C-alpha cells in the first residue's frame, strides 16, 4: 500500500483531547486568577479560623487549580 500526501480521509481521525486542556481565551485567564486568589485566600482564612479540614482543603484545591489554569494559559501563549 502506498501512502498519499495530504490529510487523512474524513471520518478516520480521532479528536485530539489535548485541545480541550489548553486555555486560549482571556476569559479563562480571568477565571483562573479569580479561582487562585479566592481559593488561596479562602483556604488561609479557613486555617486561621479553624474550620473543618474538608472545607479548607477543597478551598485550597480550587486555588491550586486556578494557579494551574493561569500557568497553562501563559505556557500555551508562549507556544503560539
Amino acid at each position: 500500500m502506498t501512502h498519499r500526501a495530504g490529510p487523512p480521509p474524513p471520518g478516520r481521525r480521532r479528536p485530539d483531547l489535548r485541545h480541550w486542556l489548553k486555555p486560549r481565551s482571556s476569559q479563562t485567564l480571568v477565571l483562573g486568577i479569580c479561582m487562585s486568589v479566592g481559593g488561596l485566600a479562602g483556604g488561609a482564612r479557613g486555617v486561621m479560623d479553624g474550620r473543618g479540614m474538608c472545607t479548607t482543603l477543597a478551598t485550597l484545591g480550587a486555588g491550586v487549580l486556578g494557579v494551574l489554569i493561569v500557568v497553562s494559559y501563559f505556557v500555551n501563549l508562549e507556544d503560539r
Side-chain angles (χ1 to χ4, degrees):
M1 183 186 291
T2 61
H3 296 284
R4 296 187 331 215
R12 303 262 316 174
R13 299 183 203 176
R14 276 196 273 175
D16 189 15
L17 296 178
R18 289 178 292 172
H19 168 77
W20 295 102
L21 296 175
K22 293 181 179 180
R24 292 187 177 149
S25 68
S26 59
Q27 294 170 346
T28 308
L29 176 65
V30 171
L31 175 69
I33 291 172
C34 291
M35 282 177 63
S36 62
V37 169
L40 296 176
R45 178 70 181 208
V47 168
M48 294 185 68
D49 287 346
R51 290 190 192 151
M53 183 62 85
C54 292
T55 305
T56 304
L57 287 178
T59 309
L60 282 172
V64 170
L65 182 63
V67 169
L68 290 176
I69 289 173
V70 171
V71 168
S72 65
Y73 175 82
F74 284 112
V75 168
N76 187 32
L77 184 68
E78 184 178 294
D79 289 343
R80 284 195 266 160

